[in-house]
Amino acid sequence: MTVLGGIGFTAPWLLLALVALPILWLILRAVPPAPIRRLFPAVSLLLGLRDDESVSDRTPWWLLLLRVLAVAAVILGLAGPVLNPRQQADGDQPLLVVMDGSWAGAARWTQQIDLLEARLTEASRASRPVAVLRLGAPEDLVFQSAAAWRSRLPGLAPLPWQPGQAELAAAAQAVGAQAGGFDTLWLGDGLDYAGRTELLETLSARGAVTVYQSPNPVLGLRPATFADGAVQLTLLRAEPGPERIQAVLALGPDPAGTVRVLNRSEARFAAGETEAQLALSLPSELRARVTRFELEGQRAAGAVALTDDSLARHEVALFAGRQDREGLELLSPLHYLTQVLVPNSDFIDGALLDVLPANPDIVVLADVVTLATLERSALTEWVEQGGILVRFAGPRMAASDIGRDEIDPLLPVRLRSGGRTVGGAMSWGEAKTLAPFGDTSPFYGLTIPDDVTVTTQVMAQPDPDLADRVIAALSDGTPLVTRKALGLGQVVLFHVTADAEWSSLPLSGLYVEMLDRLAVSSAAKSADAINLEGTVWSPLRVMDGFGQLDDAGNLPGVDGTALASAAIGPELRPGVYANESRRLARNVLGADSLLTPAQWPASIPVLGLSIAAEQPLGGWLLSLALVLLALDVAASLALSGRLGPLGRAAALLGLLLHAPGAEAQQAEADRFARDATREMVLAHVLTGNRAVDDLALAGLRGLSDTLFFRTSVEPAAPFSVDLERDELAFFPLLYWPVTPDQPQPSDAAYARLNTYLRLGGMILFDTRDADIARFGAGSPNGQKLQQLAAPLDIPPLEPVPGDHVLTRAFYLLQDFPGRHASTDIWVEAAPADAEQIEGMPFRNLNDGVTPVVIGGNDWAAAWAVDDNGRSMLPVGRGYGGERQRELAYRFGVNLVMHVLTGNYKSDQVHVPALLDRLGQ
């Protein structure tokens, strides 16, 4: 390709024809030839006369210029002009393409592939052999034609790990095995890693190296942790920069099992900082549903933090030292514990030896002193394997000798005999309050109410390690809660009772927060804190470079030690792993991971990923030549007097018919028809009210999603329909929200609407005012509905009967609520001769689909979801409101099923009667 003035030419030799343009000018100017002047006296008789047809004695200069331009446009168009041509790279050596190919480049993967395709196109024009080396999964170098590699580009995808030492060693070996020199094109992801500099030096010794990478910083997300009563997230960016706001999404299943965005929060990177902190205070029920956190707009595995059992609901086993007394439930030691733990915990009932094999997260012993030898050994083994034992003191523990002379394995400290009473009727002192929690305590950051006091407690022996085991103390320094590690688990002792007998702690909100902190800490253990030696973990789902989870398939199990300490790579992929008792998430980034930007030597050119697309100009130039030639014909006819007024009008009309605007309108109509018929599509009528139209579109989007997930109907994205312009036959259902000020359709629009209804279409009229008015003209929307519906060919209507097909087209329904719950829903009236067949629960109704459904329940508001699938408007209150929204979705499903299938359900009901008649 030859480049002249920034424009490339694929056939530059044709430009030599431009040299003939001056000669063409002279030839055209000599035609027609100049007339010979002769003196003839009789010519004076012709003076003042005009001939209807005249011929110029010489071609006008502007017509010559028009013809020359037309010829020049033909020559240039045939020469293959290209705007933004891809110039051939310097050098004729083989070309090696090196790709980091990690998750860090996933967000800009499309740009990398486009750039690689452009460079392969250049190499193909220069006949340079090409090899591709992916550092995350290196293979032996095979130099092939660039066309062969271009066909394999769609199969390339980023890997969810960065190149490690083993991969770089294999890459260096592959480069070393290649004889001769070659140039290198390195597609970097923007992050540094060990061994990159050495490989760069090896490649520089073989030929020229050019680096392409995006200047945008790489973003990442560390694993989520739970601390101070909130989910703690740390966002990373590779390079410091200006202040930046980054949204974080929490995703998980809703009650119906559909994965949705459960929470959206924003974190702020301060100017010059590479880390941003975000604390999410989520309700325990919502927190248990979260399966992953991800950075909004960052489609990369490193921008995803998978969750595991650390945020799930906890299994708790409760045991008390005395049985509950009938009629005295508030005196039960377990009453307050049950009320506190029930929102975010599941309880396991049974005997201690029966419960421990179920591997609960927490075992609570409320004033339990004596354990059988078998129970004690089983409980000790369970704690050593990672369980948490929470014990509460009480009269039994105060009166026993447990932990007096030597520390009990199932107690964190040694205890004194008897209890300590303060603030009682027989005590000189006052009730003690709580001291602030230390920064090493799991309760750090909790607010202590002033009315929480302790009157009785079990005292601890003043051993040397007592101070290290106290996580909560009274104002006089005596321990309130102590803790020690036992194997991989913990033993926690509250030095007061679990009920309000010894303190007012169980009556306060602090009690709830303290137990919640302990419950979360039972499952929030990192892999580094768990001795996984000797265990095997099976991968459930693994993550690709874009951060999407896929089924693990036949991937082998992973050794526990490797799962805890090995780096993410081909042998250990990020994802969710499980053993017999729990699930563990391995994310791309760890708790201490940092993002280090890649630094390249000054001698290595570093370019961006953006490229200007080639734009062929040949078609435009040839089209211009045709237009110029058409103008030449029209001008020649006009000069010769052969183009009268009608001819000039026809020429002008021809130009207008071929104007870009008319072609654009036709192209828009063709595109509308093509998109509307590719899949089944729902549509709404544009009212001219932007808010109502947007809500209607969002409502149909929510209904389409419901149909997709619950039925075999898979609608495409809904359409907005202009009655004056768009074709209606493509849509089985039109949702028409009624507003008082919407314009009246034209006669042509009503003609199309009536044709649409006669051919089987359905219109759902929604006055959206059922909360303030009943069906009729008693409201502005109802009056407008009468005006809109008057020119339509609508049959007689009746309220939806109890045996109408809409009540059973897919779901069995009795009511059809939307955001409002009125029962005034009108459909086509049943024929007068409709009768119920003996033994059949439904009448023999007409077989057609009701052409209109009229109501005012504002269904679109109940269906409406945003781009993330979240409901946009509230419906009712609490569970009852969500139940009403669910019924609204079910009505929408029945409506679509009715319009698509007719009264087939009615036919199915009458099958026995039909078979009986045929038998007779």
Side-chain angles (χ1 to χ4, degrees), residues 249 321 485:
L249 306 179

Side-chain angles (χ1 to χ4, degrees), residues 27 132 147 150 324 336 348 412 462 499 525 578-579 613 617 691 784 796:
I27 294 176
V132 176
R150 287 183 61 187
D324 296 343
Y336 295 96
I348 302 178
D499 55 17
K525 297 182 286 288
N579 65 1
L617 302 178
K784 188 64 180 181

Side-chain angles (χ1 to χ4, degrees), residues 663-745:
E663 295 180 358
Q665 293 177 2
Q666 183 61 36
E668 178 67 22
D670 293 343
R671 182 165 55 253
F672 181 88
R674 184 171 57 253
D675 294 341
T677 55
R678 183 177 292 115
E679 299 285 350
M680 197 282 285
V681 177
L682 304 179
H684 74 94
V685 175
L686 289 171
T687 65
N689 186 314
R690 178 67 178 274
V692 173
D693 293 339
D694 290 346
L695 187 63
L697 185 64
L700 293 184
R701 181 168 58 239
L703 179 58
S704 297
D705 291 344
T706 302
L707 289 166
F708 182 88
F709 289 114
R710 301 187 186 184
T711 73
S712 60
V713 180
E714 299 181 355
F719 274 49
S720 300
V721 173
D722 185 347
L723 296 178
E724 305 295 340
R725 181 189 62 192
D726 297 328
E727 176 60 51
L728 306 179
F730 306 136
F731 310 104
L733 173 66
L734 283 180
Y735 175 74
W736 193 334
V738 178
T739 60
D741 55 351
Q742 64 181 276
Q744 193 82 4

Side-chain angles (χ1 to χ4, degrees), residues 55-91:
V55 178
S56 175
D57 64 341
R58 181 166 301 190
T59 305
W61 67 269
W62 54 268
L63 185 57
L64 287 177
L65 180 61
L66 188 66
R67 294 172 178 174
V68 170
L69 290 177
V71 175
V74 171
I75 296 173
L76 292 175
L78 296 177
V82 177
L83 186 64
N84 301 319
R86 297 167 184 168
Q87 301 184 21
Q88 179 177 337
D90 296 335

Side-chain angles (χ1 to χ4, degrees), residues 305-350:
L306 302 175
T307 64
D308 46 29
D309 291 341
S310 60
L311 300 182
R313 290 179 63 88
H314 316 292
E315 294 182 339
V316 180
L318 303 178
F319 301 93
R322 65 176 185 268
Q323 297 296 325
D324 296 343
R325 287 169 285 183
E326 184 177 358
L328 299 178
E329 183 179 356
L330 293 179
L331 298 180
S332 168
L334 301 182
H335 172 74
Y336 295 96
L337 289 172
T338 303
Q339 297 302 313
V340 168
L341 295 174
V342 70
N344 60 343
S345 302
D346 296 321
F347 297 104
I348 302 178
D349 297 325

Side-chain angles (χ1 to χ4, degrees), residues 278-294:
L278 178 63
L280 298 179
S281 297
L282 303 176
S284 57
E285 177 65 25
L286 185 62
R287 188 180 66 222
R289 292 184 179 274
V290 176
T291 58
R292 58 189 281 158
F293 295 95
E294 64 180 41

Side-chain angles (χ1 to χ4, degrees), residues 74-155:
V74 171
I75 296 173
L76 292 175
L78 296 177
V82 177
L83 186 64
N84 301 319
R86 297 167 184 168
Q87 301 184 21
Q88 179 177 337
D90 296 335
D92 55 0
Q93 296 189 107
L95 179 64
L96 173 63
V97 178
V98 177
M99 303 181 67
D100 284 348
S102 72
W103 64 267
R108 291 163 290 277
W109 189 254
T110 302
Q111 291 179 274
Q112 290 196 29
I113 295 301
D114 292 343
L115 175 66
L116 181 55
E117 183 178 9
R119 297 300 171 259
L120 290 178
T121 300
E122 297 173 6
S124 178
R125 291 171 180 167
S127 301
R128 301 177 67 182
V130 178
V132 176
L133 177 62
R134 302 175 64 194
L135 297 182
E139 298 177 351
D140 294 338
L141 299 186
V142 178
F143 283 91
Q144 300 176 345
S145 66
W149 282 108
R150 287 183 61 187
S151 63
R152 296 168 60 180
L153 291 183

Side-chain angles (χ1 to χ4, degrees), residues 24 41 60 174 177 184 186 272 276 286 338 411 449 559 572 575 593 603 647 711 717 738 743 794 809:
L24 181 63
T184 301
W186 193 320
L286 185 62
T338 303
L411 285 175
D559 179 71
L572 178 61
S593 297
S603 59
T711 73
V738 178
I794 297 178

